Amino acid sequence: MFSAMFARRELSIIYPVTGIAARPSSAAWGEPEALLFYDHGIRVIVGCIDGINGVDGTKSDLPLPAPLSNARCPAYEPTSDCVLFADHDAAILQLDRSNTVSLVAGNQFTVRSGDANSDRRGMDARFLKIAALAPDGQGSVYIADSDRIRKLDVASRQVTTLPITTPPSGTWVGLSYDAAAGVLWAATDRAVCVVDVIAAGGDGDGRSLRLVGGDWQATGFVDGDDRTSCFTRIVAIMACADRRLLVLDDTKLRLMGANNLVNTVMDVQQPPGVPHCLGILPQGDLAVGYGGFDVIYNGFRQSDRVKVIRDDLRLAPSSPQFSACIAAATSSQRQRQQHSPALVELHKVLTAQSASPAGDLDSVITLRVGGGGGRVFLAHRSVLAARSEYFRRLLDPAGGFADSGEAEVSLQDTDPEAFSWLLAYMYTGELHMPDELLRPAAELAGRLLMPAECGVQLQAWLLEAVTPGSVVSELIWAAQHDITDLVARLQEWLVRNRKMVAFDKLAELGARFPDLAASLVRELATAP
């Protein structure tokens, strides 16, 4: 029933695509790039893949110093700013910003090993058969390696095997990390499960794999919940917004919701060719790669096609290998890292204004922000009043405040850096906030009575950064600052992810906010 919501387009290429990835803009190109991997090389496309049999942008094959062999499952890893991929199923390579390929771990020319001695560093590590890579955005990459899940520390290049991650049946074919929810998804050809990476890290309780869709052995195209759904031949999976999972099951795209309910979205069969990989393009569209058959079209050998699917179901990926690359704006995507150079320059100007005298301009006011002498900012009364109800009343001589109409205002107990970015927003309407300033900025935006959309966005970013280990602390902080909307959303998030949440701070929540703790306990007790 969802198929009408997609518009299909195709890009014809002459190589069998084995993987699709995107990476953020670079100084060399100035635009995000789509990377199409095929058995023996990499094609980079700058601009938008659109239309039928065409590319609205620049495309070229990367000049590689040595041919690749079965290159596949590429994934953007943000801490190294590299695209990692598997070669010959036995080694992990990286493509850096200079488009240089180098070895990260494993060795495609050495006999593979599945024993404990394969957990080594760099080229001394050994893999059986790499099927998928899933970066967590914090310097680790999870690896689907035959019948086990392994972890690569990007900085040290140490490979370790997560115990208790062998599926009851089959081998791993797909892996995807949901950065917003802190969830690692894994799939065999018939089953989808969530991997408890903490339990898999060695507590030995044997419960690190939780089946959430399909069956370890039964097959079929059956939509339903975690007890009734079935898959036929899972090829790839991809984490999406709102804790959903997109599953490429044989020739069908299927979507698993946060409640583990599976629905078939559309049939993507495209003869000649077999769908075998998923990717996201810089403009935010979903891409399906095909292969397996050769045809002749207009005199050219055409072994594969990429189907571009216009995303109308908000399949914005949550995985870190995509999140920094997407240019399409959706409500669920974090676009604050895509701030414009103009905004950064304006921020520098505003921060440096302390060196400039206010002069005799009645339109300019001096703001001393922070403790001690405070940092000095100069701002126009009209701008402050337009973006803050607090300043509108304060700067009105008849506003009723003790210092209404004064030429200088002091804002103690305020983070100057958070204020500087909010002041930039007041001037430009463009909001950016570093992660470490989200808390003070959200509290300050509420205190200054800034526009509702500003507070909503800051709270949304805070919510996206929540993990099972931090949610209770965030809830305590939000309640302490009386941010009621965020309290409600954090409480909902906690209940929804209750099986993974660390409740070590629940006693503190009960001591400081007993009514909130009681409400939370009631919701947990009645949650399905």
Side-chain angles (χ1 to χ4, degrees):
M1 64 177 179
F2 294 108
S3 59
M5 304 180 71
F6 289 87
R8 308 184 185 188
R9 288 162 290 147
E10 296 175 9
L11 166 68
S12 295
I13 60 176
I14 62 173
Y15 302 107
V17 172
T18 58
I20 305 167
R23 63 180 175 184
S25 58
S26 65
W29 293 105
E31 293 185 64
E33 301 164 341
L35 300 176
L36 306 182
F37 280 68
Y38 50 95
D39 279 350
H40 302 287
I42 305 169
R43 170 165 290 190
V44 59
I45 299 177
V46 182
C48 181
I49 299 179
D50 206 348
I52 298 177
N53 301 327
V55 177
D56 298 334
T58 303
K59 60 180 178 179
S60 61
D61 290 332
L62 296 182
L64 301 177
L68 302 176
S69 176
N70 200 25
R72 58 191 60 247
C73 54
Y76 176 71
E77 201 289 306
T79 65
S80 61
D81 193 26
C82 292
V83 174
L84 303 186
F85 62 97
D87 189 40
H88 209 268
D89 298 331
I92 298 176
L93 309 183
Q94 70 176 16
L95 178 72
D96 65 17
R97 275 299 179 184
S98 64
N99 290 329
T100 300
V101 174
S102 58
L103 178 69
V104 176
N107 190 323
Q108 62 268 56
F109 307 112
T110 303
V111 176
R112 304 168 190 177
S113 173
D115 59 29
N117 292 327
S118 63
D119 282 349
R120 295 179 179 177
R121 191 187 306 271
M123 67 180 299
D124 293 326
R126 295 292 178 267
F127 298 98
L128 286 169
K129 186 176 182 180
I130 300 173
L133 303 178
D136 68 354
Q138 301 178 30
S140 296
V141 179
Y142 294 99
I143 307 159
D145 183 22
S146 188
D147 62 348
R148 66 202 64 191
I149 296 176
R150 310 179 71 182
K151 185 177 181 180
L152 166 69
D153 180 81
V154 175
S156 67
R157 304 195 173 186
Q158 176 67 48
V159 176
T160 56
T161 298
L162 300 184
I164 328 172
T165 55
T166 298
S169 177
T171 59
W172 299 117
V173 299
L175 207 62
S176 188
Y177 190 84
D178 186 334
V183 173
L184 178 64
W185 301 88
T188 66
D189 61 344
R190 302 174 183 179
V192 176
C193 70
V194 168
V195 182
D196 186 337
V197 295
I198 297 177
D203 71 357
D205 66 359
R207 294 176 295 178
S208 57
L209 301 179
R210 179 165 58 90
L211 184 68
V212 294
D215 187 275
W216 294 114
Q217 294 183 334
T219 64
F221 291 115
V222 181
D223 290 343
D225 58 19
D226 51 358
R227 296 181 300 274
T228 59
S229 60
C230 280
F231 297 96
T232 294
R233 186 182 67 91
I234 296 176
V235 177
I237 60 175
M238 187 174 72
C240 304
D242 303 325
R243 200 176 172 183
R244 298 180 296 168
L245 186 74
L246 191 64
V247 181
L248 180 57
D249 182 19
D250 196 45
T251 62
K252 300 183 186 296
L253 276 179
R254 307 179 72 186
L255 187 64
M256 177 181 290
N259 56 359
N260 297 335
L261 186 65
V262 177
N263 284 296
T264 299
V265 175
M266 65 183 297
D267 195 310
V268 293
Q269 186 173 10
Q270 186 66 45
V274 178
H276 61 251
C277 62
L278 290 173
I280 205 74
L281 300 176
Q283 68 265 33
D285 287 341
L286 180 70
V288 180
Y290 295 77
F293 298 93
D294 289 349
V295 297
I296 302 299
Y297 181 75
N298 286 347
F300 290 95
R301 177 178 179 271
Q302 183 176 327
S303 301
D304 212 332
R305 277 177 290 188
V306 173
K307 182 184 295 296
V308 182
I309 302 175
R310 174 62 65 191
D311 179 5
D312 292 322
L313 287 180
R314 296 187 303 110
L315 298 177
S318 173
S319 304
Q321 61 261 42
F322 305 119
S323 59
C325 314
I326 300 172
T330 67
S331 60
S332 60
Q333 290 172 300
R334 299 182 70 184
Q335 294 299 321
R336 53 198 173 90
Q337 298 303 329
Q338 303 292 335
H339 52 281
S340 67
L343 176 62
V344 176
E345 290 303 314
L346 176 60
H347 171 254
K348 293 179 182 178
V349 171
L350 295 173
T351 304
Q353 278 185 337
S354 57
S356 303
D360 298 326
L361 296 177
D362 292 335
S363 63
V364 175
I365 187 171
T366 300
L367 302 165
R368 293 191 177 274
V369 181
R375 280 174 58 182
V376 176
F377 297 86
L378 301 179
H380 294 85
R381 292 173 179 266
S382 59
V383 173
L384 296 173
R387 295 281 186 174
S388 164
E389 180 65 17
Y390 169 83
F391 278 120
R392 189 187 69 80
R393 299 175 187 175
L394 179 67
L395 300 178
D396 184 350
F401 287 88
D403 50 357
S404 290
E406 294 292 329
E408 182 174 313
V409 172
S410 177
L411 295 176
Q412 297 183 0
D413 301 324
T414 298
D415 188 304
E417 189 63 20
F419 177 80
S420 68
W421 285 110
L422 289 179
L423 185 57
Y425 164 77
M426 293 182 190
Y427 271 87
T428 67
E430 183 178 350
L431 183 61
H432 168 75
M433 194 62 60
D435 286 348
E436 65 274 13
L437 297 176
L438 284 174
R439 276 190 176 188
E443 185 274 330
L444 181 58
R447 181 152 50 97
L448 296 180
L449 303 176
M450 295 182 66
E453 59 267 20
C454 176
V456 167
Q457 185 62 78
L458 290 170
Q459 292 177 32
W461 288 336
L462 273 168
L463 196 66
E464 288 182 6
V466 166
T467 66
S470 69
V471 62
V472 179
S473 295
E474 295 290 351
L475 187 59
I476 293 172
W477 175 84
Q480 177 184 352
H481 291 87
D482 199 27
I483 308 179
T484 55
D485 289 343
L486 184 58
V487 167
R489 297 176 70 185
L490 285 168
Q491 190 169 349
E492 179 185 352
W493 192 99
L494 190 153
V495 172
R496 187 172 65 248
N497 299 278
R498 61 193 178 279
K499 294 182 180 180
M500 296 180 291
V501 169
F503 287 98
D504 53 312
K505 290 185 176 292
L506 195 58
E508 180 183 350
L509 177 66
R512 300 182 64 177
F513 304 99
D515 291 342
L516 175 59
S519 171
L520 178 61
V521 170
R522 285 194 298 270
E523 289 195 35
L524 289 171
T526 58

